[in-house]
């Protein structure tokens, strides 16, 4: 059996007096497509931000691809990781955010080429060739010279996906990437996600309220509440026959709101 590519061991995280993650432990296998669902405030996005080192943990250990994320060995002991270690570990992970986070003063192709040129010292011609291939994959090669302000929300999100892929990460994190989009633009972004899931062996973690998409996308679904995993299993088990009452209540409310599961 392969080793997990992501391991969280007794992770706790609080914001002030609010405990967001409560000694959370979980594993993700290489190539696995994982959907994280649950009510707002249940800790799903915090997990992604911790993996991306945008938030620090209060306690516990995280291993990425066999290496400690927030700790590093020194003199036969584990010490807190320095910024150099964190920067190296970040290159294993890409993240796509809810609100795109594109550089508004840079063109589409410059948004996609910037990171590999800065962090991997890739020459501009090679970075642009790679960027055009990625933009082709997300259906935006003809928009390469435009500025973000000239794009629709769905197009901006697809550029953000191409930008995250430009560093060739082993792990991709997607945080509610359709929640800021008009309903008619959601499907074009989900289609890119379907293509990524079908055509790559990247490990992918998706936080979403699109339950129908989570069902179709994921190998495994984790239902979170109050910083803990309440239930996990294959999509059919979670969405069709949930065992825990808290999961059942959550899904009933989702269905009552008109969402497909």
């Amino acid at each position: 059996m392969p080793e997990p590519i992501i391991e969280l061991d007794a992770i706790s995280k609080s914001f002030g007096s609010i405990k967001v993650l409560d000694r959370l432990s979980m594993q993700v296998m290489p190539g696995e497509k994982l959907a994280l669902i649950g009510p707002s405030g249940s800790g799903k996005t915090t997990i992604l931000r911790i993996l991306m080192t945008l938030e620090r943990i209060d306690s516990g250990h995280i291993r990425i691809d066999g290496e400690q994320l927030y700790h590093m060995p020194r003199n036969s002991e584990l010490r807190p990781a320095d910024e150099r270690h964190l920067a190296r570990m970040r290159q294993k992970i890409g993240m796509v955010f809810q609100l795109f986070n594109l550089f508004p003063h840079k063109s589409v192709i410059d948004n996609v080429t910037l990171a590999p040129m800065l962090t991997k010292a890739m020459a501009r011609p090679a970075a642009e060739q790679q960027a055009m291939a990625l933009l082709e994959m997300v259906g935006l090669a003809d928009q390469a010279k435009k500025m973000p302000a000239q794009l629709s929300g769905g197009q901006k999100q697809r550029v953000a996906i191409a930008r995250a892929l430009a560093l060739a990460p082993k792990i991709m994190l997607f945080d509610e990437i359709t929640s800021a989009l008009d309903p008619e633009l959601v499907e074009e972004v989900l289609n890119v996600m379907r293509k990524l899931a079908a055509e790559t062996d990247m490990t992918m973690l998706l936080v979403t309220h699109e339950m129908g998409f989570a069902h179709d996308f994921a190998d495994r679904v984790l239902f979170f509440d109050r910083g803990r995993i309440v239930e996990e299993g294959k999509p059919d088990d979670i969405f069709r026959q949930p065992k825990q009452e808290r999961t059942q209540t959550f899904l009933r409310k989702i269905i009552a709101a008109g969402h497909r599961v």
Side-chain angles (χ1 to χ4, degrees), residues 64-240:
I64 301 292
D65 200 23
E67 291 189 81
Q68 289 279 344
L69 178 59
Y70 284 102
H71 298 83
M72 52 191 293
R74 187 176 295 163
N75 299 328
S76 302
E77 295 181 7
L78 280 178
R79 302 288 182 87
D82 59 25
E83 186 54 40
R84 185 176 178 182
H85 175 86
L86 291 173
R88 182 175 63 82
M89 294 299 289
R90 280 188 207 109
Q91 293 189 24
K92 298 173 184 276
I93 305 170
M95 186 165 177
V96 183
F97 298 86
Q98 180 178 346
L99 295 176
F100 324 133
N101 288 11
L102 299 178
F103 294 109
H105 60 290
K106 291 188 177 293
S107 68
V108 165
I109 193 166
D110 285 345
N111 265 278
V112 181
T113 59
L114 184 62
M117 289 170 60
L118 287 178
T119 65
K120 293 190 172 183
M122 187 180 288
R124 179 174 289 277
E128 290 187 350
Q129 183 177 9
Q130 174 185 265
M132 288 305 298
L134 291 170
L135 290 171
E136 180 73 35
M137 190 199 71
V138 300
L140 290 174
D142 60 339
Q143 308 294 313
K145 298 300 184 182
K146 288 189 176 179
M147 303 299 285
Q150 297 175 282
L151 304 180
S152 70
Q155 289 173 324
K156 290 176 185 176
Q157 196 59 286
R158 285 186 281 156
V159 173
I161 292 172
R163 182 180 62 177
L165 292 171
L167 287 174
K170 291 187 174 184
I171 299 164
M172 280 284 285
L173 311 175
F174 300 91
D175 183 24
E176 294 283 11
I177 63 170
T178 60
S179 64
L181 301 180
D182 293 333
E184 65 268 21
L185 301 177
V186 168
E187 194 64 22
E188 67 185 59
V189 175
L190 296 185
N191 283 338
V192 171
M193 293 285 294
R194 292 185 183 100
K195 187 174 183 180
L196 278 177
E199 297 181 4
T200 76
D201 59 359
M202 280 189 305
T203 305
M204 299 166 69
L205 276 66
L206 171 74
V207 170
T208 186
H209 284 98
E210 297 279 348
M211 296 298 135
F213 179 68
H215 177 275
D216 298 341
F217 163 86
D219 301 314
R220 184 160 55 105
V221 177
L222 275 60
F223 174 71
F224 284 81
D225 191 39
R226 298 183 181 180
R228 295 185 175 184
I229 299 171
V230 174
E231 188 167 359
E232 64 178 291
K234 293 185 179 299
D236 273 346
D237 295 334
I238 298 298
F239 290 116
R240 308 293 183 234

Side-chain angles (χ1 to χ4, degrees), residues 23-61:
R23 292 188 58 80
L24 175 71
S25 295
M26 59 181 277
Q27 296 183 342
V28 185
M29 302 306 291
E32 190 172 18
K33 311 299 187 276
L34 198 67
L36 281 56
I37 66 168
S40 297
S42 58
K44 310 180 300 297
T45 290
T46 300
I47 292 169
L48 301 194
R49 291 180 62 82
I50 282 172
L51 290 173
M52 200 66 199
T53 72
L54 297 172
E55 302 285 355
R56 299 297 179 95
I57 57 176
D58 296 334
S59 60
H61 290 270

